[in-house]
Amino acid sequence: MFQKVTGIVLHVLKYTDTSNVVDVYTKEGGRISFLVNVSRSRKSGMRSALFQPLALVELEADFRPNVSLHRVKEVKLAYPFRSLPFHPYKSSIALFLAEFLYRALKEEAPNEPLFEYLYHSILWLDACENRSFANFHLVFLMRLSRFLGLYPNVEDYTEGCYFDMLNACFTSLLPKGGVFLKPDEAGRIRLLLRMNYDTMHLFAMNRVERNRCLTVINDYYRLHLPDFPTLKSLDVLRELFD
């Protein structure tokens, strides 16, 4: 049965010379894998350019029971980006976040609040017209943890406390075993939790500080998500925003 869905492109894998497997996080059904016939012709409705990292798309596909790959009949952009694929910093952020979400989002069930968060975050990044998005990926990942049930408990935060990475909480006592952050870095995590897209430009960080935060956040997710790998795009992102 043919159905239409709206989604966010996470990953593209070459399947044959004329087709790709495209993983999309959809509003209607969570993460879904599609089989897409591709063409280099500009007149084709299945051009590879439609499936760039974090592209917002509308697909019509043949959904059949007990089938893992759903064949796409038609695809179009749900929202044509103005800057995201063309800006070197934004496109690098998109590449990283698409890989991160591809590894983190496994649920094959609708989660509309999560989808709306992802969708509107991507729109915000595309519309941002200055360098105030340097902390975007950090704020994005910290707020994503709330939707995945991994948001740290901030109620017990006090100045000079530690952050227990394994138990996702702040503590005044040195955690026994496990992985933790010392008070200076714990305070920076607390700072990140206070940021949002509109205020994050007020919190100045240099590249070394930003990269350390990114490493800590990545390590945090690896602790809490099974089989979460080292991301190939992580090193690319670390070179940005000097």
Side-chain angles (χ1 to χ4, degrees):
M1 180 175 65
F2 284 97
Q3 296 179 352
K4 293 184 178 181
V5 296
T6 301
I8 300 164
V9 175
L10 304 182
H11 185 259
V12 178
L13 176 67
K14 184 177 180 180
Y15 189 65
T16 69
D17 289 340
T18 58
S19 63
N20 292 335
V21 174
V22 182
D23 284 282
V24 180
Y25 190 77
T26 69
K27 180 178 182 179
E28 294 81 4
R31 178 167 162 172
I32 301 176
S33 296
F34 294 97
L35 185 63
V36 180
N37 293 327
V38 295
S39 172
R40 295 181 180 179
S41 171
R42 292 185 176 182
K43 297 181 179 180
S44 171
M46 299 289 187
R47 290 177 292 113
S48 297
L50 293 171
F51 301 101
Q52 296 174 355
L54 300 187
L56 306 177
V57 293
E58 294 178 355
L59 306 105
E60 183 176 1
D62 187 6
F63 288 88
R64 300 187 181 186
N66 304 316
V67 173
S68 59
L69 283 177
H70 306 283
R71 188 173 293 275
V72 172
K73 176 185 177 183
E74 183 180 2
V75 61
K76 62 180 180 179
L77 293 177
Y79 177 85
F81 288 136
R82 295 186 298 175
S83 66
L84 193 57
F86 318 111
H87 192 292
Y89 292 117
K90 290 184 180 183
S91 61
S92 296
I93 290 175
L95 180 66
F96 167 74
L97 292 181
E99 184 185 8
F100 193 101
L101 293 171
Y102 171 69
R103 298 298 184 181
L105 302 182
K106 303 294 186 180
E107 189 176 3
E108 297 178 353
N111 185 335
E112 189 167 344
L114 172 56
F115 179 84
E116 293 296 332
Y117 167 72
L118 300 177
Y119 196 93
H120 290 291
S121 294
I122 295 166
L123 291 181
W124 189 97
L125 180 60
D126 181 64
C128 184
E129 296 181 350
N130 52 45
R131 290 290 298 273
S132 64
F133 59 86
N135 295 327
F136 175 86
H137 52 298
L138 304 180
V139 176
F140 177 94
L141 293 178
M142 294 302 293
R143 293 183 171 265
L144 175 67
S145 67
R146 187 184 296 276
F147 295 92
L148 302 184
L150 304 176
Y151 196 72
N153 183 353
V154 299
E155 293 180 359
D156 296 327
Y157 176 80
T158 57
E159 187 174 352
C161 67
Y162 299 87
F163 180 61
D164 186 334
M165 296 268 282
L166 190 59
N167 293 302
C169 64
F170 294 95
T171 174
S172 58
L173 301 176
L174 180 66
K176 295 181 179 179
V179 184
F180 63 90
L181 300 179
K182 294 180 179 179
D184 57 334
E185 291 194 327
R188 190 165 292 279
I189 292 297
R190 172 59 176 152
L191 192 66
L192 282 172
L193 293 170
R194 293 173 53 197
M195 294 184 192
N196 59 48
Y197 298 148
D198 294 326
T199 65
M200 61 187 181
H201 68 281
L202 302 174
F203 300 85
M205 281 191 280
N206 59 39
R207 190 172 70 176
V208 172
E209 293 169 332
R210 188 174 292 109
N211 284 345
R212 176 55 183 163
C213 288
L214 181 59
T215 297
V216 167
I217 294 171
N218 189 66
D219 290 346
Y220 179 75
Y221 274 97
R222 292 189 69 189
L223 276 173
H224 293 276
L225 294 179
D227 304 319
F228 194 81
T230 300
L231 303 180
K232 296 179 181 179
S233 57
L234 192 60
D235 288 337
V236 175
L237 199 61
R238 285 176 173 148
E239 298 300 318
L240 300 181
F241 304 115
D242 196 1

